[in-house]
Amino acid sequence: PVTRKAVRERLDLTVCGVPCAWFHHISPTTREYLKGSGLSITLGNEQLAAAKKGMRVPRVLSCAHRHDFDTFRDATGMIAVTPAWQCLTRHGRKVVPQARTTVGMIVYDWRGKKDGELPDLHPILCTAPEPAEETL
């Protein structure tokens, strides 16, 4: 639709018979071993909230905010977190100091799928080189 908005907080689409939702925010995490929990929680919460209100239940979620590619899939759907689209600039601030930057994108591929089937994901990733160690 023509909204005359440069950005939107959320984009709901049905692609190849699959209800999808794209939005920015997902809970950040500073613990590598908890990344999957946040993804499954976000997918479940989104689906339950939609079902409780009698709205269409998304099966594919795509979000950002963590700036590192990750994905989770279960019997009800899938969620993917996009990597950063650029490295940190002088205008930003790194919130999680130990995080390693990955720049890239995700291709959601429905080629060869039947209507209603979940897509294949093709991440295109580039990990930033490690900064040079400073010596004193």
Side-chain angles (χ1 to χ4, degrees), residues 3 7-8 11 14 19 32 35-36 54 63 79 92 94 98 105 109 113 117 123 125 131-133 136:
T3 62
V7 295
R8 50 177 95 214
L11 176 63
T14 297
E32 287 289 322
K35 283 184 173 183
C63 41
I79 181 173
K94 199 168 186 179
Q98 71 272 20
M105 62 185 273
D109 187 0
K113 300 286 185 177
E117 287 186 339
L125 307 172
E133 184 176 322
L136 300 175

Side-chain angles (χ1 to χ4, degrees), residues 48-129:
L48 284 171
K52 285 173 70 174
K53 297 293 182 185
M55 302 169 91
R56 121 185 151 33
V57 177
R59 295 193 52 225
V60 172
L61 297 182
S62 183
C63 41
H65 193 62
R66 285 188 180 176
H67 302 214
D68 192 16
F69 171 71
D70 209 348
T71 186
F72 172 82
R73 185 184 292 240
D74 68 11
T76 66
M78 64 185 289
I79 181 173
V81 180
T82 60
W85 61 276
Q86 70 177 23
C87 288
L88 183 65
T89 69
R90 61 190 165 103
H91 302 289
R93 179 179 64 88
K94 199 168 186 179
V95 177
V96 183
Q98 71 272 20
R100 304 300 191 260
T101 302
T102 301
V103 177
M105 62 185 273
I106 304 170
V107 176
Y108 293 79
D109 187 0
W110 270 276
R111 292 176 297 173
K113 300 286 185 177
K114 295 177 184 169
D115 269 7
E117 287 186 339
L118 297 178
D120 293 325
L121 291 184
H122 303 290
I124 300 167
L125 307 172
C126 178
T127 300

